[in-house]
Amino acid sequence: MNQGNSLENKFLAQFLESVYGIRGKVSRLAGYQDRNYLITCSSEDRYILKITMAVEDLEFIRSQNRVLLALSQKPVGKILPSPMSNSNGGFYAEILLDGQQAFTRLFPFIDGSFLAEANPAGSFYADLGRVFAQIDRDMTGLEDAVLKSRTHAWDLARVMEITGDINLISNPGDRRLVHYFLMKYREEVAPIYHLLPKTLLHADGNDWNILTIEGGGGREDTVAGVIDFGDMVWSGRIHEVAIVLAYSMMGKNDYLNVFKEVINGYQEVIRLADLELSIIYYLIAARWCQTMVMAARQEHLNPGSAYHQVSVGGARRMLELWVRENPTGMVKRVMNGERGEKGERGEKELEERVEERYKYFSKAVSLSYQEPIYMVGAAMQYMYGEDGRTYVDCVNNIPHVGHCHPKVVEAGQRQMARLNTNTRYLYDNLDRYASKLLSKFPPSLNKVFFVNSGSAATDLAVRLAEAHTGRCEYIVLDYAYHGNTKAAIGLSPYKFNRKGGKGKPDNVKILNLNPNMVPTAAQGPPPGPLLRKEGEDSRRTFFAESIVGCAGQLVLSKGLMQQTVNEVRANGGIYVADEVQTGFGRVGQKFWAFELYDVIPDMVILGKPMGNGHPMGAVVCTEEIARSFETGMEFFSSFGGNPVSCEIGMAVLEVIEEEELQENARIVGDFLISELNKLCSRESTVGEEQRLLPFGNMPEAGGSSDHASPFKFRISEVRGSGLFLGIELVESETGKPATEAAVAIVNAMKEKGILLSTDGPFNNVIKFKPPMCFSMENAQELVTALRGTIR
């Protein structure tokens, strides 16, 4: 409470005595638009004086008074403010304040504690829902032309107007969440808003406008008052419930119970339509977004304005929690207690969906997990199952900056509505994106070819290499995987040397990973040349994943990588770095993983994360290699470098920079490496209940199938860099690959809502390569869940 200016208070005291016939002490209260004052005549006799400085609001004041007086005749009116008449018989009076014409109204003081400062127990939130439903019901028919045409900045129906000020939010993570939920409002709510039931609403059920009273003596806490009808609008009825929920849930550990209670209470009075309930998830988030942007806007205009920051912390935390809540059937799940429960019916439906899949597809198109997940949505590092569960995605590196990142989505939408063509035409965003992408590379890598996948990039790199070297001879790392075209499979021991493969092509030399390329404590200097024998022509192209993913997230030896590349080049060959999985800041320390070895490639293959799920690929190379390809045959990719892809690719690069995702990968990755290393060496077990193997990822060798349960193992090594990590599991007694234990852990973690996978020659390496917005909180959750799984 602010005592305010003593002269002003004295003037107002005289005004009150002359116009309202009351004498009391005047104290200034906080307020958003109106000026509010507490008038204390005695401990039992208090009033609230509201002064509206905007003369253009006079018609609204008249309409508001009419509504409040009508409500005062209803049962709910006893807890609502009702304007008092003055000496002229009116319900407002004119005043000249600070040289401005203004309007005053006087209201009886309503006793109670602000909900923001209380912690009500019992069924309070059901009572809160009932009260607002009673207000909405009793205001039906009280609207007039002024109220039906009135709007204001906080009207939830106008929430999309704040999108231009999202950039005023300083924290990049906050910006991302607000932007995402506003995008979802546009996609899910805006198209059906015209179908929603409309009514006159209080429309500002925040925790500073709701008063509570303790029940005591075994009675429940109840709503003592609802104040401030200054945001009253004609709008979607469900907005009322969403606004009340947005503030009521803030700071509550059991916010989903609050959600349930408020809706139940409201529906005791007014039954909400299914259409209204289907979008309430997005409307609640929209109110938190308004809170965040409005505060940022006011901070920009009036730095240090504490009043506008009062709800920011709560709104920020709720958005962080809300994005984890699966919106699919949310109301039904919460109200009926069906949160993520499969049941026999759910299992039967899942089986039917799998059968439906294989009506149209070969079983070579595999599914993850013995019990597949039916996905229906995703947001950032979270994926939503049809069963209502939310999964933390720790393994999907394709949505590099996050599933459904709004900046990336909107970049594609805008450009798709404007122009989409091919590189045979001139358009600005092709050159702009190429320039931006090449700026991330060493100066010698200054030419780019765009395609539409990493596999297509590998295929093109083969053609470029042959044109430049005049040879079709290659060196690859064991267990490498470079894509799914015929040329790429021929460079991928992970495919051609495994089940269904046709073996090594004659023109390919495999470089063993151990002991040659992977550093170990006992590894000394190499005894001699790695790649050639005396008299052998070694003019070959060396393809290497910068960290070998399918081999188990293996980081290579810096010294031996340098020696290998030097030998390749000394014999007229070139070095091609495959950054399809490891590029764009994922390794944390560097933007490209090849930079870990202080070797500059002659070519780089890009794919997967380049378009955040949009199909994109590229080959970046030197001027000399590009010139060698200029043989008179045109290179053309129908989709490579199209305007939509360029805008999406540009958005991905901008997000990485704006949200400092490379640094996030370094910080979170270092934490994970430190914590996972604490689990190394000790003998561990995982229970027999997790024996199921992931469908389509069955081990080929290593580990026996007749283990007694539980599986005994130890973590022998933590590998990788940034957010491209792996942990290798071996059997405690034999030291052999602990395949079944690794797979059992992956299944157990899936049941805890965390998605992982296995890799390596024996599928005994658990891999972590999440979207780059994966947070420290996510990492802590992952480690805690893993510790709870490994006993």
Side-chain angles (χ1 to χ4, degrees):
M1 185 182 297
N2 179 8
Q3 296 298 321
N5 183 286
S6 59
L7 291 176
E8 179 183 273
N9 292 351
K10 183 177 180 181
F11 169 74
L12 291 174
Q14 294 170 347
F15 173 83
L16 285 164
E17 186 172 2
S18 64
V19 176
Y20 288 95
I22 64 171
R23 301 178 64 182
K25 179 182 176 183
V26 179
S27 303
R28 181 79 178 265
L29 302 173
Y32 179 50
Q33 290 177 318
D34 292 339
R35 294 191 188 184
N36 300 311
Y37 301 84
L38 174 65
I39 314 302
T40 305
C41 302
S42 68
S43 60
E44 302 296 328
D45 192 11
R46 291 179 290 175
Y47 304 90
I48 296 293
L49 177 68
K50 291 183 76 70
I51 302 180
T52 301
M53 302 299 293
V55 294
E56 65 271 16
D57 281 349
L58 179 58
E59 291 304 316
F60 172 62
I61 289 172
R62 289 171 174 160
S63 293
Q64 187 184 146
N65 284 347
R66 182 178 55 79
V67 169
L68 290 172
L69 288 168
L71 289 176
S72 69
Q73 304 304 307
K74 304 288 185 178
V76 76
K78 64 181 181 294
I79 63 169
L80 303 180
S82 182
M84 300 173 60
S85 62
N86 54 45
S87 57
N88 297 322
F91 293 94
Y92 71 90
E94 294 186 26
I95 190 173
L96 194 66
L97 193 63
D98 296 340
Q100 286 183 250
Q101 183 185 16
F103 304 101
T104 69
R105 287 177 294 163
L106 191 68
F107 298 89
F109 182 83
I110 300 174
D111 204 5
S113 302
F114 288 113
L115 179 57
E117 299 175 331
N119 187 26
S123 59
F124 169 83
Y125 291 102
D127 185 49
L128 182 62
R130 282 191 295 272
V131 165
F132 272 90
Q134 289 163 5
I135 293 171
D136 292 348
R137 178 196 62 194
D138 293 343
M139 286 200 297
T140 301
L142 298 179
E143 64 276 2
D144 57 24
V146 171
L147 293 173
K148 290 191 76 169
S149 63
R150 183 177 186 265
T151 186
H152 55 81
W154 282 92
D155 184 353
L156 203 52
R158 294 177 56 186
V159 68
M160 293 307 295
E161 294 177 13
I162 66 176
T163 54
D165 285 339
I166 293 174
N167 63 304
L168 296 177
I169 299 173
S170 58
N171 182 280
D174 294 347
R175 282 200 307 272
R176 180 202 310 136
L177 282 172
V178 169
H179 196 172
Y180 168 76
F181 278 113
L182 291 179
M183 177 185 74
K184 294 300 290 185
Y185 181 98
R186 184 188 69 224
E187 299 297 326
E188 305 292 342
V189 180
I192 63 169
Y193 178 74
H194 65 288
L195 300 174
L196 298 176
K198 309 297 191 301
T199 189
L200 187 61
L201 307 175
H202 174 278
D204 193 18
N206 76 66
D207 44 1
W208 292 101
N209 285 340
I210 297 167
L211 300 169
T212 70
I213 187 167
E214 292 185 15
R219 292 176 298 169
E220 299 283 0
D221 297 347
T222 57
V223 178
V226 176
I227 61 175
D228 194 351
F229 279 67
D231 280 358
M232 200 163 44
V233 291
W234 171 268
S235 194
R237 179 177 64 188
I238 192 62
H239 289 179
E240 189 86 276
V241 188
I243 291 166
V244 171
L245 281 168
Y247 293 105
S248 298
M249 292 192 295
M250 276 191 196
K252 305 295 191 300
N253 292 329
D254 61 342
Y255 62 86
L256 288 180
N257 187 57
V258 173
F259 178 92
K260 178 179 180 178
E261 290 291 309
V262 169
I263 293 178
N264 273 337
Y266 193 95
Q267 294 205 113
E268 287 179 26
V269 181
I270 297 177
R271 192 71 185 173
L272 294 165
D274 289 345
L275 185 65
E276 294 175 288
L277 291 171
S278 72
I279 58 171
I280 194 168
Y281 171 91
Y282 302 107
L283 292 171
I284 294 168
R287 188 55 156 197
W288 292 323
C289 292
Q290 282 182 314
T291 300
M292 297 288 289
V293 175
M294 292 294 197
R297 183 186 289 170
Q298 290 300 323
E299 179 63 23
H300 177 71
L301 297 173
N302 304 294
S305 175
Y307 179 80
H308 297 100
Q309 307 300 318
V310 67
S311 297
V312 169
R316 174 190 299 114
R317 182 56 183 157
M318 289 311 302
L319 285 173
E320 291 172 346
L321 293 171
W322 208 236
V323 76
R324 294 190 60 135
E325 294 294 339
N326 186 332
T328 304
M330 181 178 184
V331 174
K332 179 182 176 182
R333 292 197 323 275
V334 175
M335 306 298 282
N336 300 335
E338 298 176 5
R339 188 168 168 78
E341 295 179 7
K342 295 187 286 291
E344 290 184 13
R345 180 180 174 186
E347 291 179 2
K348 178 65 175 175
E349 289 176 351
L350 194 61
E351 290 174 6
E352 291 172 354
R353 287 193 176 106
V354 173
E355 289 176 7
E356 187 73 8
R357 159 75 73 95
Y358 291 117
K359 281 184 183 178
Y360 310 109
F361 295 96
S362 161
K363 290 191 176 179
V365 182
S366 66
L367 289 164
S368 293
Y369 305 105
Q370 181 79 12
E371 183 182 73
I373 306 172
Y374 176 24
M375 292 296 187
V376 293
M380 307 311 146
Q381 62 270 50
Y382 305 108
M383 299 187 76
Y384 306 133
E386 188 270 345
D387 61 359
R389 298 191 67 188
T390 297
Y391 297 90
V392 183
D393 188 355
C394 299
V395 75
N396 197 341
N397 62 332
I398 296 174
H400 188 67
V401 298
H403 292 275
C404 304
H405 194 291
K407 181 163 185 170
V408 179
V409 171
E410 290 175 358
Q413 288 174 329
R414 281 194 306 271
Q415 187 59 43
M416 198 174 293
R418 185 180 300 136
L419 170 70
N420 199 18
T421 184
N422 58 66
T423 53
R424 288 196 174 111
Y425 298 93
L426 297 173
Y427 43 91
D428 290 341
N429 42 13
L430 176 66
D431 299 338
R432 189 169 62 248
Y433 177 53
S435 175
K436 179 75 171 177
L437 180 64
L438 290 174
S439 73
K440 300 294 184 182
F441 287 92
S444 61
L445 292 165
N446 56 10
K447 287 289 186 285
V448 61
F449 295 84
F450 289 123
V451 289
N452 65 326
S453 72
S455 295
T458 296
D459 207 77
L460 176 58
V462 167
R463 292 177 59 196
L464 286 162
E466 291 177 6
H468 186 69
T469 65
R471 303 267 307 184
C472 302
E473 307 291 329
Y474 306 99
I475 302 163
V476 297
L477 300 175
D478 206 358
Y479 296 106
Y481 174 63
H482 294 290
N484 61 23
T485 64
K486 183 175 181 180
I489 292 294
L491 299 175
S492 303
Y494 180 74
K495 291 293 185 180
F496 66 62
N497 269 347
R498 302 184 92 203
K499 187 176 181 180
K502 295 183 178 180
K504 183 182 74 66
D506 293 337
N507 63 338
V508 173
K509 178 183 178 69
I510 298 175
L511 189 60
N512 291 331
L513 290 171
N514 279 311
N516 288 340
M517 294 301 293
V518 179
T520 65
Q523 182 175 295
L530 294 170
L531 302 179
R532 67 185 189 279
K533 297 176 182 178
E534 188 174 349
E536 180 183 9
D537 185 350
S538 296
R539 184 154 44 101
R540 296 173 181 257
T541 298
F542 175 38
F543 278 81
E545 295 171 84
S546 299
I547 297 178
V548 195
C550 290
Q553 319 295 84
L554 289 174
V555 179
L556 304 172
S557 162
K558 180 177 179 179
L560 287 172
M561 268 296 287
Q562 292 176 347
Q563 179 179 338
T564 302
V565 172
N566 288 339
E567 289 187 26
V568 166
R569 286 174 172 161
N571 287 277
I574 59 174
Y575 160 42
V576 182
D578 186 334
E579 291 281 341
V580 169
Q581 293 204 71
T582 55
F584 295 90
R586 176 164 292 281
V587 296
Q589 302 173 52
K590 304 289 185 180
F591 199 79
W592 308 109
F594 68 73
E595 296 176 286
L596 297 172
Y597 308 119
D598 292 333
V599 178
I600 298 174
D602 302 291
M603 271 195 283
V604 180
I605 302 169
L606 305 177
K608 294 185 193 301
M610 193 175 181
N612 209 55
H614 178 78
M616 292 180 70
V619 177
V620 176
C621 65
T622 64
E623 181 97 33
E624 293 75 19
I625 291 175
R627 202 160 36 238
S628 299
F629 201 53
E630 296 169 3
T631 62
M633 180 187 291
E634 177 197 25
F635 170 76
F636 177 69
S637 171
S638 297
F639 300 106
N642 71 76
V644 172
S645 296
C646 289
E647 286 300 302
I648 288 172
M650 179 69 81
V652 169
L653 291 176
E654 289 175 351
V655 169
I656 293 170
E657 293 176 352
E658 292 164 2
E659 299 184 7
E660 299 179 340
L661 294 182
Q662 181 182 341
E663 178 66 2
N664 182 68
R666 185 190 66 80
I667 293 170
V668 176
D670 286 351
F671 169 80
L672 281 172
I673 290 169
S674 173
E675 292 301 306
L676 293 171
N677 270 313
K678 294 175 184 177
L679 301 176
C680 282
S681 299
R682 69 179 176 88
E683 182 174 273
S684 303
T685 61
V686 60
E688 61 183 332
E689 67 275 12
Q690 302 299 340
R691 293 186 66 88
L692 294 178
L693 297 172
F695 184 90
N697 196 21
M698 305 291 281
E700 293 182 12
S704 66
S705 59
D706 57 352
H707 268 286
S709 295
F711 306 119
K712 294 182 180 180
F713 67 93
R714 60 183 174 84
I715 297 173
S716 61
E717 187 176 18
V718 179
R719 303 167 175 162
S721 178
L723 292 179
F724 196 76
L725 305 175
I727 57 173
E728 183 184 45
L729 275 60
V730 297
E731 294 177 359
S732 298
E733 296 178 1
T734 66
K736 294 179 180 179
T739 301
E740 289 186 313
V743 173
I745 291 169
V746 167
N747 277 291
M749 294 289 279
K750 175 217 171 192
E751 293 305 309
K752 294 180 178 182
I754 295 176
L755 301 182
L756 295 167
S757 186
T758 61
D759 228 326
F762 308 110
N763 282 318
N764 66 317
V765 177
I766 299 174
K767 58 185 177 183
F768 307 86
K769 46 177 187 173
M772 294 276 281
C773 51
F774 193 81
S775 68
M776 186 66 78
E777 187 174 0
N778 297 140
Q780 291 165 343
E781 178 184 2
L782 168 63
V783 171
T784 299
L786 193 57
R787 284 182 175 142
T789 302
I790 298 172
R791 296 189 284 273

